[in-house]
Amino acid sequence: MNRQTADASLLERVPDHVGPRKMAFRGGAVHWRQPPGAFSFLSTGHSMAIRLARSPGFRFAFDSERSREFDLIAGMLGIAPAGMECKAEWSAPIESVVVALSPESMRELAGHEIDRPDVEIRPVNHTIDNTALQLAKMIKAELSRPDHANELYLDSLITLLGVHVLRRYSSAAKPLKPVDGGLSTIAANRIREYLHEHFRRKLTISELAATCGLSPGYFTQAFAKTFGIPPHRYVLERRLDFAEKLLVGTQLPVAEIAFLSGFSSQSHLTTMMKTHRDKTPRQFR
């Protein structure tokens, strides 16, 4: 079948100087890097921006709504459905992968995926999405190839992202609504996966709440109702579990194990183990 490249107008509002770009069959992608600045546009297609690096002081708004300021985190996904106006302003350098799919391409994907071509894509004002992040990293790598990106491979990645958006952020997706005051199954799985990957570093409630699209205050209550303990205790338990495995299964110095497990010092690890596990690191070993 003869497949034509998507209309380049899908990315015409993205400045040429921000980074390499390429059009494929279903849409186009650009690796966006820019110093502090501002940007506004009317999305002609369904646009997805996946943030690749942390950037504090980011402001964003859809249409005429009031701008909200927050810190960008690697893995945050923003979605602007076709026909929606967006405004952004940032005070630190940003790096993102921006993908745009035509409405026709998204309707075709919806017809194949859920047998409903009339699905509505929902606007998303940045939520953490690890699946989108992995796809964005692969798109970035392909756009960065010195011998030019492979259009078929890039189109496959754009298609995967489009299907992912349909499954999670469309009118056919299961909503991320709290159940009985707790987190939904989808949100609970998402935060569990995120904490499993990031428990060793410093985490804020705002960052964790962003993974579920909830306010920090509500997230804290919903998390405790779902898991039975507050977020900081959950993180502590994961760190202690990890430290125990290293103590039993390796000969690493206790001070190094403390560092690898997310504790500030060997004495911090010892105090937490004595308090919550009734043993010292040496007793575990």
Side-chain angles (χ1 to χ4, degrees):
M1 182 179 66
N2 184 25
R3 290 157 62 97
Q4 294 183 344
T5 301
D7 193 332
S9 64
L10 286 170
L11 292 174
E12 68 178 354
R13 297 299 184 94
V14 179
D16 293 334
H17 63 273
V18 300
R21 73 184 65 201
K22 189 174 181 66
M23 302 303 299
F25 171 65
R26 294 196 184 278
V30 57
H31 177 206
W32 182 317
R33 289 167 293 184
Q34 212 172 4
F39 183 66
S40 62
F41 72 103
L42 178 66
S43 181
T44 58
H46 299 296
S47 300
M48 287 79 76
I50 306 100
R51 310 305 178 180
L52 298 178
R54 180 178 175 82
S55 181
F58 185 81
R59 298 184 66 88
F60 186 86
F62 288 118
D63 291 333
S64 58
E65 72 177 12
R66 185 176 180 180
S67 293
R68 180 168 66 92
E69 182 172 338
F70 52 95
D71 293 347
L72 288 179
I73 300 168
M76 275 189 166
L77 167 68
I79 302 175
M84 180 161 284
E85 185 178 359
C86 306
K87 303 182 292 293
E89 183 179 353
W90 53 97
S91 56
I94 59 170
E95 181 183 9
S96 310
V97 160
V98 176
V99 175
L101 279 81
S102 68
E104 295 77 17
S105 291
M106 194 64 88
R107 282 195 293 268
E108 182 186 359
L109 286 179
H112 288 296
E113 172 65 19
I114 52 180
D115 197 27
R116 282 183 54 191
D118 59 340
V119 166
E120 178 184 353
I121 303 300
R122 295 171 176 157
V124 176
N125 191 350
H126 293 83
T127 186
I128 293 177
D129 189 316
N130 289 321
T131 298
L133 177 59
Q134 295 308 312
L135 290 172
K137 288 179 177 178
M138 296 169 73
I139 291 172
K140 171 188 171 180
E142 190 62 21
L143 291 174
S144 302
R145 289 182 58 184
D147 53 344
H148 304 297
N150 181 294
E151 183 177 325
L152 181 60
Y153 181 70
L154 182 64
D155 186 63
S156 298
L157 295 174
I158 292 173
T159 299
L160 286 172
L161 181 60
V163 171
H164 176 67
V165 167
L166 281 168
R167 290 178 175 179
R168 182 167 287 185
Y169 305 106
S170 75
S171 55
K174 294 181 180 179
L176 292 178
K177 291 183 178 178
V179 178
D180 296 330
L183 299 172
S184 69
T185 301
I186 296 175
N189 289 337
R190 186 181 297 179
I191 192 64
R192 186 183 293 110
E193 176 186 345
Y194 190 77
L195 288 173
H196 178 75
E197 183 177 352
H198 298 285
F199 70 90
R200 286 170 287 181
R201 66 173 177 82
K202 184 177 180 180
L203 296 165
T204 66
I205 292 297
S206 295
E207 177 181 345
L208 298 180
T211 69
C212 304
L214 298 173
S215 68
Y218 189 89
F219 168 79
T220 301
Q221 297 178 11
F223 185 99
K225 181 143 183 99
T226 301
F227 293 99
I229 53 177
H232 73 272
R233 180 62 186 273
Y234 186 97
V235 171
L236 174 61
E237 294 296 331
R238 299 291 75 72
R239 289 175 177 174
L240 290 172
D241 289 343
F242 187 72
E244 282 186 28
K245 290 180 181 179
L246 294 181
L247 287 166
V248 174
T250 76
Q251 294 301 315
L252 291 172
V254 176
E256 186 173 351
I257 289 175
F259 173 76
L260 292 174
S261 304
F263 294 96
S264 59
S265 64
Q266 180 176 337
S267 62
H268 185 206
L269 170 61
T270 300
T271 300
M272 290 298 101
M273 279 198 157
K274 288 175 66 176
T275 301
H276 298 284
R277 302 292 167 94
D278 295 323
K279 289 183 180 180
T280 67
R282 294 189 184 280
Q283 288 173 322
F284 271 110
R285 178 156 277 178

